[in-house]
Amino acid sequence: MVPFASFLHHLFTILSFFTLFTINPTLSTDLGNEFSILSFNSDDLYGDYSPPSPPPSPPEPRPPSLSCSEGLNATGSFDTVCELNSSLILDNDVYIHGNGSFYILPGVNLSCPHLGCSIVVNISGDFSLGSNSVIIAGLVSVNASNASLFTGSMINVTAMAGEPPPMTSGSPRGVQGAGGGHGGRGASCVTDNSKLPDDFWGGDPYAWSSLEEPKSFGSKGGSTSKEVKYGGEGGGRTWLEARNSIVLEGNVVADGGDSGMKGGGGSGGSIYIKGLRMTGSGRISAIGGNGFAGGGGGRVSINVFSRRGEPGIFSHGGRSLGCPENAGAAGTYYDAVPRRLIVSNHNLSTRTDTLLLEFPKLPLWTNVDIQDHAKALVPLYWSRVQVRGQIRLSCAAVLSFGLQQFASSEFELMAEELLMSDSIIKIFGALRMSVKMHLMWNSKMLIEGGVDTFVQTSLLEATNLVVLRESSVIHSNANLGVHGQGFLNLSGAGDVIEAQHLVLSLFFSINVGPGSFLRGPLDHSSSNFTRPQLNCELPNCPAELLHPPEDCNMNSTLTFTLQICRVEDVIVRGIITGSVIHFHWVREVVVHSSGVITASGLGCTGGLGRGRFFLNGLGSGGGHGGKGGDGFYEGNFIEGGASYGNADLPCELGSGSGNDSLAGATAGGGIIVLGSLDRSLSSLSVAGSLRADGETFGENFGENVGKTISNIGPGGGSGGTILLFVQTLALGDSSTISTVGGHGSPSGGGGGGGGRIHFHWSDIPVGDAYLPIASVGGNINTGGGFGRGNGRAGQNGTITGRACPRGLYGIFCEECPLGTFKNVSGSARSLCRACPSFQLPHRAIYVTVRGGVTKTPCPYKCISDRYHMPNCYTAVEELVYTFGGPWLFSLILLGLLVFLALVLSVARLKYVTADELPASVPARRGSRLDNSFPFLESLNEVLETNRNEESQSHVHRMYFMGPNTFSEPWHLPHSPPEQITDIVYEDAFNRFVDEINGLAAYQWWEGSVYSILSILAYPLAWSWLQSRRKHKLQQLREFVRSEYDHSCLRSCRSRALYEGIKVAATTDLMLAYVDFFLGGDEKRAGLPPRLHQRFPMSIIFGGDGSYMTPFSLQSDNILTSLMSQSVPPTIWYRLVAGLNAQLRLVRHGHLKLTFSHVISGLETHVKPTLGAFGIHVDLAWFQPTASGYCHFGIVVYTTEVESLPPELDGQDAFFQPEHQSRMPINHWENQIEHMRLVGLWMSQKKFSGGILHTKGLRMLKEKKAICYPFAFVLYNTKPIAHQDLVGLVISVLLLGDFSLVLLTLLQHYSISLLSLFLVLFILPLGLLFPFPAGISALFSHGPRRAAGLARLYALWNITSLINVVVAFMCGLIHYMTHSNRRHSNFPSWSFSMDESEWWVLPCGLALCKLVQSWLIDCHVANQEIQDHSLYSNDPELFWQ
């Protein structure tokens, strides 16, 4: 409270100062000598249209002026300087006039101790009253240029009053000892219970019209004795006027005289001070005198433009010794420059009024302050209190309008601001208030309307702001309208605005804080003739409830008891209660969890559905939305009240028990209408309660005072009506909307019927513009009340909503449930009919549509984005069903594939006909030559066909060790073999080996690229390996041919011509060798060696037995020339072709099995034929490396014993000691001779390797790689017939494969992009590359190139099986996770990933690829082996 009061004080000071400069702008200009506040006439600012005033009365006659020396015994002259230096007592009035100055020196007293005696000083110079000097008289008037009252000085006219103005009654009559009146009434301690306390007072106030320039004496107080006048004298008059400045450090006192307990105190006198400037902190006092009853305060007016310092100014009433609680009324203090009137009683409590009579109209006062327990009264009928600024009441101040006994007038209060702090405003009659701001702090505004209908309506208008805080109350026992354009805020507990009819209108926002109330009508206990009369018997709905007037004016003839009209926002945290509550033209209403809008128990006691009762008072419940419950008494039931009203647009009050003569009579619920048909609420948000419940018996016994109380009570009242015209509604989880019936009496009263709740939606959006209009939680209840005893419960009421447009249903116009549609208007759930199921595709679900579904077919969507509208097919199914379904699509696809295959075959025949036919190669040296396997000859043979001269100088062929891979590249052993020791320098040879081995090694990044490609796509890795092998061979050749200086050769000719060493390799680039030749200048005999001198001679196979590089014997011109020394070339060529045909069938990983066929062929076909020429051939292995890799080949040696070495030590002699345990044992026919020869070879030839025979194969150890399982799919096979047919079938399968790949990709795209990504890129693009690889293989030129590309095609084809496995796994995972979504209306034979046939495509694709692999093997065999007799088991047929 104190901080708020302090805040108001500072606020008022600032506003006053601002208003001062606003009122008179010239006050802020230069304050030079030319300006005179005495000559300033503020009336010039306003137009005065009233008749001219009569001329002023002539001035009072003055006695002759005294001289300074003779009259006052002072020194000097009044025309210069007069100094009074000794005290002086005067007997008569004194008038002092002169052009000089007048100084009363310190400690000097000037007095005229007679009542009403006057001392008037009118000089042109200065006036000063020295320290501790005193002037005593009944009237002291000083008019000077400057006036100074120094410390301790005093002008004292206390209790020195003369006669008060005529025709006044300031002095009380009688012997009650009342106080005298002047500015305020004198107090009276008389009490009379038959009268109001305000009806007793002492002397009357007077001189209201001259309070701006007060000039009246105070009045004498009353006496308690007729004989003796014990009352105190009234205060005198002081007039202090300076043309320039005033120094006020002393006191100016015009108090009323004290009288003790036998008389009343005198009233205060008058003080008027005028000047341009005033300084000092003295005291100005015109207080009433103390006595049995205190005297009223006097009047003080100060007209000083500029003040420095804060002098104490007092005009309060005197203390009442006989009744301390009722001091004299406060006088008035008028501050003329800001035009401010202050009525303050200095915190002395009083029941006595200070009268505020007619306020000036031109110019208006700026501010009026009533404070510190002052009690002010505006007694005149039809008065207007109007100021330009503030009216402030604070500190227990009271402002009353009219008289309580005669409440038949209307009053006006007009100001910028009405500020109330701990204060009260009472209006007896009606009030028209117009302010901009109305602030209340622990204050009350009480309006007591009279019997006159003209004064039953009060209107309070606050343009900007109305705030009630700290239990502030605005109360009217009649009609009250509160209007504004800003905010109305009831801040918290105890803040109340209430009236019998209450209208709040035109505000921007209304906030009803927690614990605060808006109430209309008042409680039952305050019932009077102004209580609204409810239309309980009206059968029809009042028109103003549905179409209220637009003006929002207070009209007590309307049905409303509480109306909020034309307000933007209403926020309810407190309680709004009324019989008929109506919100009209309101944009948004928010009811918080603590907020309640209630009309419970405020309806009709009777009504259309009133209950019935027995003679003893027990009765049934009232009816409304539901029938009232039957009452029961002594075995008899009495029927409950009937239901009535329109459920689709209810607007009726609830009915009660029907017997209002009993104290326990119950009333029905009232009406709550939010919005109207013309102006609905934009938004209603409820977290609290909306209630219009019927009254329960026994709830309000205490309010029915004066009525007969019965032990047997009636039934409960019926619920009322809640009618909501809204656009959107939000009901919180804790919200309640209730019109339940009340409970009956315990003796058998019936329960009240439930009321009615109706939601009348306005502008329900439809279609795409639809948004949910209601969010509903909490509780909506229209249940009937309980019947107690044997009474029956009331029936439930109704909850309805406006008929919903098409697509919407229910009370809250929600969208019809999924799978239903509604094509008619209405709210019934049954209007939402089920959508036809035959119109819903499989794999489709119904979808919600904004605004609901209004027609068929109902909108739907596929269950996943992988399905496509309108039939929700996958991409595969969409393609399949576009062409007539699975079976027809399959036939069309098959026909298309055959057709395209035929086209490809025809194009292939025309494109490669010439290359497909094997070229005729003439027989060499006139002999018969088999050309069935021409391309398996060495690259050297093709590029260097005329190298017969080289074969004549060939000395030895030295093979590289290793498989030429990134992990184990080619390398030569360092020790030169014995065959070339005679033609090379060993040290230089070792350096040559180091150089060539370094050159043959690969860079690290080449192997890294290969490793990465092996993981991603092995065919690319294979191509990369072959390209690096070819590049490495080219480097070796260039090195030997042009870079190496051949310094290891002994021949000068060879070194000079860079000849004598040549590097070559097999076509598969896995086997390389170095050939050494004679230079022609060697001086050694036996060079070059003959064939038999080279025995045993090893011939190593190229390749490694894999699918891409099968074993092959490369027979170049040198080897052919050497073998022709013992074997005819035709026999040798046929041997090479047959051996290569058998080596094609050898598979890495199955060497034990497949090499056995080669050994068997050597035994049956080769050895018998070559034995006739003295040549023996055996399968052998050579050059093992540290990693376990070794080459395979044949060992050629002679069968002539005389040409062999003299010793033979068994077959194991062919092996180095460390390999003997791994090698098989072979037995010749002459085993002793064979052992002797082998032993000799071991010692002479340093043979590194071993012979392979049938029994020894069992001990052969094989390494199996990670790709070992693919060897069962990809392997070299024997040729088959119908080469063109095989090509045609491959074409069909290739096109079918590509078609299945596309279908599979579409299928997995339908599953998800992730599935598509996995299938495509594990391994990367493995599914897509087989098709271009196959086309390239089919359309390649020549059998050799065709076979190579076909192998690469086969490699891509088998690699893509990994993608097929990934596709299978993705399909399986998807099927396992989505199998529960299978639709019953989906046929089992359909082509779908959702059903058990999900495996069809991946399995079909896998089968297609496996068949392709087999056919590609056949196609490669047909390309490579065109002479099928090479596989003949008949040796004669083989050698033909």
Side-chain angles (χ1 to χ4, degrees):
M1 182 185 306
V2 174
F4 185 80
S6 177
F7 165 77
L8 288 178
H9 173 74
H10 291 290
L11 179 62
F12 298 157
T13 302
I14 296 173
L15 290 176
S16 300
F17 187 76
F18 175 78
T19 306
L20 171 65
F21 282 85
T22 304
I23 295 172
N24 188 3
T26 60
L27 298 182
S28 61
T29 57
D30 184 18
L31 302 178
N33 294 329
E34 297 179 358
F35 174 84
S36 174
I37 193 170
L38 300 178
S39 62
F40 172 75
N41 186 2
S42 59
D43 293 347
D44 295 339
L45 297 176
Y46 307 95
D48 189 356
Y49 301 100
S50 60
S53 301
S57 58
E60 298 179 2
R62 298 292 185 183
S65 176
L66 296 179
S67 63
C68 177
S69 58
E70 295 180 0
L72 296 180
N73 296 324
T75 60
S77 171
F78 287 121
D79 291 327
T80 55
V81 176
C82 178
E83 293 182 349
L84 181 63
N85 51 18
S86 62
S87 298
L88 179 64
I89 298 176
L90 302 174
D91 293 329
N92 296 310
D93 297 339
V94 174
Y95 176 69
I96 299 174
H97 177 73
N99 294 324
S101 299
F102 180 36
Y103 300 140
I104 300 177
L105 299 182
V108 175
N109 296 334
L110 177 63
S111 63
C112 181
H114 304 289
L115 295 178
C117 179
S118 63
I119 300 177
V120 178
V121 178
N122 187 0
I123 57 177
S124 299
D126 297 336
F127 170 82
S128 69
L129 184 62
S131 299
N132 299 317
S133 297
V134 178
I135 297 177
I136 299 175
L139 167 63
V140 176
S141 176
V142 177
N143 191 331
S145 177
N146 298 288
S148 301
L149 277 71
F150 295 102
T151 304
S153 62
M154 177 184 296
I155 297 178
N156 187 2
V157 295
T158 299
M160 296 295 291
E163 290 297 325
M167 307 298 293
T168 61
S169 56
S171 297
R173 298 179 181 180
V175 290
Q176 290 84 16
H182 182 197
R185 282 174 171 172
S188 174
C189 293
V190 175
T191 58
D192 187 349
N193 292 332
S194 62
K195 295 183 180 181
L196 298 174
D198 292 347
D199 291 340
F200 296 94
W201 65 86
D204 290 322
Y206 53 90
W208 167 263
S209 60
S210 61
L211 64 82
E212 297 181 6
E213 294 182 0
K215 57 184 70 174
S216 300
F217 290 112
S219 298
K220 181 178 178 64
S223 175
T224 58
S225 173
K226 293 183 179 181
E227 291 78 13
V228 181
K229 303 296 185 182
Y230 292 111
E233 297 293 338
R237 296 166 48 195
T238 300
W239 187 289
L240 180 60
E241 182 174 355
R243 290 178 293 278
N244 291 311
S245 63
I246 298 174
V247 176
L248 182 62
E249 295 293 347
N251 301 322
V252 178
V253 181
D255 299 338
D258 298 334
S259 65
M261 290 296 292
K262 293 184 179 182
S267 62
S270 299
I271 300 176
Y272 178 70
I273 300 176
K274 183 176 182 180
L276 181 61
R277 292 179 293 275
M278 184 171 71
T279 61
S281 57
R283 175 184 175 91
I284 301 172
S285 176
I287 64 177
N290 303 324
F292 178 76
R299 298 191 186 277
V300 177
S301 177
I302 298 178
N303 188 353
V304 175
F305 174 74
S306 174
R307 281 193 283 180
R308 294 174 56 189
E310 292 293 334
I313 302 173
F314 304 94
S315 60
H316 58 81
R319 300 178 184 272
S320 297
L321 304 179
C323 46
E325 74 283 356
N326 185 21
T332 60
Y333 161 43
Y334 180 74
D335 195 348
V337 172
R339 291 193 176 92
R340 177 186 180 192
L341 176 64
I342 299 174
V343 180
S344 172
N345 213 32
H346 200 60
N347 291 322
L348 298 177
S349 62
T350 183
R351 298 192 302 268
T352 309
D353 296 319
T354 299
L355 300 187
L356 305 181
L357 302 177
E358 184 177 1
F359 276 56
K361 297 180 177 59
L362 291 174
L364 295 174
W365 287 343
T366 302
N367 298 329
V368 173
D369 292 352
I370 304 173
Q371 60 192 26
D372 300 332
H373 287 77
K375 188 171 183 292
L377 170 64
V378 180
L380 301 180
Y381 284 1
W382 309 97
S383 295
R384 172 186 290 180
V385 175
Q386 181 177 6
V387 298
R388 298 186 60 190
Q390 300 172 348
I391 296 178
R392 186 180 72 167
L393 286 79
S394 61
C395 299
V398 178
L399 174 61
S400 300
F401 291 84
L403 303 178
Q404 187 170 0
Q405 302 91 330
F406 306 100
S408 58
S409 176
E410 184 175 88
F411 300 91
E412 291 185 86
L413 188 152
M414 304 178 68
E416 288 287 314
E417 299 172 359
L418 175 58
L419 309 176
M420 301 174 64
S421 174
D422 299 300
S423 56
I424 299 174
I425 292 179
K426 296 180 181 180
I427 299 97
F428 300 103
L431 177 66
R432 296 289 191 270
M433 182 185 81
S434 177
V435 298
K436 290 185 178 179
M437 185 183 297
H438 185 188
L439 306 180
M440 299 179 67
W441 179 287
N442 190 27
S443 300
K444 295 180 180 180
M445 179 178 284
L446 307 176
I447 304 174
E448 299 291 334
V451 296
D452 192 340
T453 56
F454 292 102
V455 295
Q456 288 184 0
T457 301
S458 296
L459 299 177
L460 310 181
E461 180 179 356
T463 307
N464 295 338
L465 184 64
V466 178
V467 177
L468 281 70
R469 298 195 65 179
E470 299 296 325
S471 301
S472 295
V473 176
I474 297 177
H475 166 91
S476 172
N477 67 344
N479 307 322
L480 176 63
V482 182
H483 310 296
Q485 299 176 12
F487 293 86
L488 170 60
N489 186 9
L490 282 71
S491 303
D495 296 329
V496 178
I497 299 179
E498 59 182 1
Q500 296 290 18
H501 287 85
L502 178 61
V503 175
L504 308 177
S505 63
L506 305 179
F507 286 99
F508 178 81
S509 176
I510 295 178
N511 177 39
V512 183
S516 58
F517 286 84
L518 290 178
R519 184 181 294 119
L522 305 178
D523 296 335
H524 292 284
S525 58
S526 61
S527 176
N528 56 26
F529 63 93
T530 61
R531 183 173 179 83
Q533 300 302 312
L534 303 178
N535 297 319
C536 295
E537 306 297 330
L538 187 66
N540 299 320
C541 181
E544 61 266 19
L545 287 178
L546 304 180
H547 301 281
E550 299 291 333
D551 55 12
C552 297
N553 292 328
M554 166 57 68
N555 187 347
S556 60
T557 63
L558 300 179
T559 307
F560 316 128
T561 62
L562 191 154
Q563 185 185 34
I564 296 178
C565 182
R566 287 201 178 188
V567 176
E568 286 290 312
D569 304 322
V570 178
I571 301 172
V572 182
R573 293 184 176 89
I575 299 174
I576 299 177
T577 178
S579 296
V580 181
I581 301 174
H582 188 262
F583 287 18
H584 173 54
W585 212 333
V586 176
R587 186 179 65 89
E588 181 178 8
V589 176
V590 179
V591 182
H592 290 268
S593 58
S594 61
V596 178
I597 300 177
T598 177
S600 297
L602 295 176
C604 301
T605 306
L608 298 175
R610 66 171 62 89
R612 298 171 176 86
F613 50 90
F614 294 103
L615 294 178
N616 62 356
L618 190 144
S620 60
H624 181 200
K627 182 177 175 294
D630 297 343
F632 178 84
Y633 180 69
E634 293 183 351
N636 297 315
F637 286 97
I638 185 168
E639 186 178 3
S643 63
Y644 58 94
N646 180 10
D648 292 331
L649 197 61
C651 54
E652 304 87 11
L653 292 162
S655 299
S657 60
N659 186 1
D660 56 358
S661 62
L662 296 178
T666 57
I671 301 175
I672 299 176
V673 181
L674 303 186
S676 65
L677 285 173
D678 304 320
R679 305 283 183 179
S680 62
L681 271 68
S682 297
S683 172
L684 173 61
S685 177
V686 181
S689 301
L690 300 181
R691 292 184 176 274
D693 301 334
E695 184 179 1
T696 295
F697 174 79
E699 281 185 340
N700 297 311
F701 268 163
E703 298 180 2
N704 296 282
V705 179
K707 294 184 179 180
T708 304
I709 300 176
S710 174
N711 294 326
I712 299 176
S718 64
T721 297
I722 296 180
L723 177 57
L724 305 178
F725 296 92
V726 295
Q727 294 182 12
T728 60
L729 173 68
L731 301 181
D733 294 336
S734 61
S735 64
T736 299
I737 298 181
S738 172
T739 59
V740 299
H743 307 320
S745 64
S747 304
R756 298 189 188 276
I757 298 175
H758 179 73
F759 300 91
H760 198 88
W761 313 106
S762 64
D763 300 328
I764 301 175
V766 295
D768 292 338
Y770 174 79
L771 289 173
I773 59 177
S775 173
V776 181
N779 181 31
I780 301 177
N781 190 2
T782 58
F786 298 140
R788 291 188 281 191
N790 291 323
R792 294 175 179 172
Q795 294 179 352
N796 293 336
T798 61
I799 305 175
T800 58
R802 183 181 178 184
C804 300
R806 295 188 304 167
L808 307 176
Y809 82 103
I811 296 173
F812 304 106
C813 289
E814 302 169 281
E815 296 166 339
C816 281
L818 197 63
T820 63
F821 73 99
K822 176 173 169 283
N823 56 5
V824 295
S825 297
S827 300
R829 172 64 176 83
S830 59
L831 296 177
C832 294
R833 294 180 291 173
C835 298
S837 59
F838 66 87
Q839 295 179 345
L840 180 69
H842 60 274
R843 297 200 211 93
I845 56 175
Y846 291 114
V847 295
T848 57
V849 176
R850 179 175 288 186
V853 181
T854 59
K855 60 182 179 179
T856 59
C858 298
Y860 59 87
K861 71 173 183 178
C862 301
I863 59 176
S864 174
D865 292 338
R866 59 195 181 93
Y867 303 121
H868 305 288
M869 297 289 286
N871 297 315
C872 292
Y873 289 151
T874 62
V876 176
E877 291 172 345
E878 199 166 1
L879 177 63
V880 169
Y881 284 100
T882 301
F883 293 94
W887 304 115
L888 184 59
F889 175 78
S890 300
L891 293 176
I892 294 175
L893 180 61
L894 181 60
L896 181 64
L897 293 179
V898 173
F899 173 75
L900 292 177
L902 291 174
V903 173
L904 286 177
S905 297
V906 172
R908 176 174 170 271
L909 289 175
K910 292 184 178 181
Y911 185 69
V912 296
T913 299
D915 295 321
E916 287 289 334
L917 299 176
S920 300
V921 180
R924 300 184 184 182
R925 299 182 182 178
S927 61
R928 183 170 59 90
L929 180 63
D930 188 353
N931 294 304
S932 62
F933 203 31
F935 63 89
L936 289 178
E937 297 176 359
S938 170
L939 182 63
N940 290 335
E941 181 182 358
V942 177
L943 299 178
E944 304 176 18
T945 56
N946 297 318
R947 296 184 58 187
N948 291 330
E949 67 281 1
E950 288 186 352
S951 63
Q952 301 298 325
S953 62
H954 185 268
V955 176
H956 180 68
R957 175 167 289 178
M958 185 176 180
Y959 291 97
F960 281 85
M961 301 175 67
N964 192 19
T965 61
F966 295 110
S967 59
E968 191 171 0
W970 283 329
H971 59 280
L972 292 174
H974 283 80
S975 299
E978 62 179 9
Q979 291 87 345
I980 62 172
T981 53
D982 294 336
I983 65 172
V984 299
Y985 298 110
E986 183 173 358
D987 292 341
F989 176 80
N990 290 336
R991 289 193 297 272
F992 166 71
V993 169
D994 290 336
E995 291 181 13
I996 206 165
N997 286 349
L999 188 62
Y1002 291 98
Q1003 299 293 326
W1004 66 270
W1005 61 269
E1006 296 174 300
S1008 300
V1009 172
Y1010 175 78
S1011 300
I1012 295 172
L1013 292 177
S1014 297
I1015 296 173
L1016 298 179
Y1018 183 73
L1020 295 179
W1022 168 256
S1023 300
W1024 171 256
L1025 175 61
Q1026 289 300 97
S1027 66
R1028 303 319 297 166
R1029 282 173 171 173
K1030 185 179 294 185
H1031 177 70
K1032 188 60 64 178
L1033 176 62
Q1034 184 178 359
Q1035 284 184 316
L1036 293 175
R1037 281 180 169 177
E1038 291 297 326
F1039 173 75
V1040 174
R1041 182 179 300 169
S1042 59
E1043 298 179 16
Y1044 182 58
D1045 58 0
H1046 294 63
S1047 60
C1048 65
L1049 298 178
R1050 295 179 181 269
S1051 172
C1052 295
R1053 186 173 180 273
S1054 297
R1055 292 197 302 269
L1057 298 177
Y1058 279 39
E1059 294 181 352
I1061 301 176
K1062 296 187 182 297
V1063 177
T1066 59
T1067 55
D1068 53 34
L1069 302 177
M1070 290 199 65
L1071 178 66
Y1073 47 85
V1074 179
D1075 287 321
F1076 290 90
F1077 300 92
L1078 294 176
D1081 57 349
E1082 289 84 354
K1083 303 299 183 179
R1084 291 177 176 78
L1087 293 177
R1090 302 291 295 172
L1091 177 63
H1092 285 274
Q1093 294 175 329
R1094 300 172 187 259
F1095 289 155
M1097 185 174 68
S1098 60
I1099 302 177
I1100 298 178
F1101 301 149
D1104 59 354
S1106 64
Y1107 179 76
M1108 299 300 294
T1109 55
F1111 289 123
S1112 64
L1113 177 60
Q1114 305 289 330
S1115 179
D1116 59 356
N1117 195 41
I1118 295 175
L1119 186 58
T1120 302
S1121 298
L1122 289 175
M1123 294 304 299
S1124 65
Q1125 297 178 17
S1126 299
V1127 180
T1130 56
I1131 300 297
W1132 176 249
Y1133 284 135
R1134 188 66 177 176
L1135 169 65
V1136 171
L1139 185 59
N1140 284 338
Q1142 293 294 333
L1143 288 176
R1144 285 186 74 259
L1145 305 181
V1146 176
R1147 285 188 286 170
H1148 184 74
H1150 302 81
L1151 297 181
K1152 296 178 182 180
L1153 176 63
T1154 52
F1155 265 143
S1156 64
H1157 300 294
V1158 177
I1159 294 174
S1160 176
L1162 290 177
E1163 294 291 338
T1164 59
H1165 291 64
V1166 178
K1167 288 184 179 181
T1169 302
L1170 294 185
F1173 300 100
I1175 301 299
H1176 192 84
V1177 177
D1178 275 320
L1179 188 66
W1181 64 274
F1182 308 96
Q1183 296 181 335
T1185 63
S1187 64
Y1189 178 82
C1190 64
H1191 293 287
F1192 293 95
I1194 58 176
V1195 176
V1196 183
Y1197 51 90
T1198 182
T1199 58
E1200 297 178 2
V1201 177
E1202 61 276 10
S1203 64
L1204 297 178
E1207 297 182 0
L1208 181 63
D1209 193 17
Q1211 182 64 34
D1212 289 344
F1214 283 97
F1215 309 106
Q1216 292 182 350
E1218 60 270 24
H1219 297 285
Q1220 290 181 7
S1221 61
R1222 296 183 356 189
M1223 298 311 302
I1225 300 175
N1226 190 16
H1227 297 279
W1228 291 16
E1229 296 177 357
N1230 190 347
Q1231 186 174 2
I1232 298 176
E1233 182 66 16
H1234 174 69
M1235 292 176 63
R1236 185 179 65 82
L1237 291 173
V1238 172
L1240 180 61
W1241 290 342
M1242 286 182 60
S1243 60
Q1244 295 181 357
K1245 303 294 184 179
K1246 297 181 180 179
F1247 184 79
S1248 176
I1251 302 296
L1252 293 176
H1253 53 81
T1254 303
K1255 295 182 180 180
L1257 287 176
R1258 300 175 184 173
M1259 300 180 63
L1260 183 64
K1261 295 182 179 180
E1262 300 183 71
K1263 291 185 177 180
K1264 296 180 180 179
I1266 191 172
C1267 58
Y1268 170 75
F1270 293 117
F1272 294 95
V1273 181
L1274 287 181
Y1275 56 87
N1276 292 296
T1277 183
K1278 294 181 181 180
I1280 62 175
H1282 310 292
Q1283 179 175 347
D1284 293 337
L1285 179 61
V1286 171
L1288 175 62
V1289 175
I1290 290 177
S1291 300
V1292 173
L1293 291 177
L1294 181 62
L1295 294 171
D1297 177 275
F1298 187 68
S1299 300
L1300 290 176
V1301 165
L1302 294 180
L1303 292 175
T1304 301
L1305 293 178
L1306 284 175
Q1307 193 176 53
H1308 285 272
Y1309 173 76
S1310 301
I1311 295 175
S1312 67
L1313 289 178
L1314 177 61
S1315 178
L1316 177 65
F1317 180 83
L1318 293 176
V1319 172
L1320 270 179
F1321 294 99
I1322 302 179
L1323 301 170
L1325 304 178
L1327 277 179
L1328 301 180
F1329 271 47
F1331 181 76
I1335 294 296
S1336 176
L1338 291 177
F1339 284 84
S1340 60
H1341 292 275
R1344 179 191 306 215
R1345 179 175 175 81
L1349 292 177
R1351 289 182 187 275
L1352 188 61
Y1353 164 40
L1355 193 59
W1356 273 112
N1357 182 68
I1358 199 67
T1359 302
S1360 65
L1361 280 175
I1362 298 176
N1363 298 76
V1364 176
V1365 172
V1366 173
F1368 184 88
M1369 296 303 298
C1370 289
L1372 177 62
I1373 293 173
H1374 178 77
Y1375 175 75
M1376 297 297 293
T1377 55
H1378 293 78
S1379 59
N1380 58 337
R1381 300 183 184 178
R1382 181 172 180 173
H1383 295 268
S1384 59
N1385 60 340
F1386 187 71
S1388 60
W1389 48 265
S1390 294
F1391 204 62
S1392 169
M1393 272 296 295
D1394 281 338
E1395 311 304 322
S1396 58
E1397 291 81 9
W1398 61 269
W1399 50 269
V1400 170
L1401 281 179
C1403 289
L1405 187 58
L1407 180 62
C1408 179
K1409 291 185 176 297
L1410 292 176
V1411 175
Q1412 279 186 89
S1413 298
W1414 177 71
L1415 289 176
I1416 293 170
D1417 293 341
C1418 297
H1419 176 71
V1420 171
N1422 288 337
Q1423 294 291 323
E1424 294 181 346
I1425 306 297
Q1426 299 182 6
D1427 185 0
H1428 295 179
S1429 63
L1430 293 175
Y1431 292 102
S1432 175
N1433 293 327
D1434 185 2
E1436 293 183 1
L1437 181 61
F1438 175 80
W1439 291 107
Q1440 282 185 355

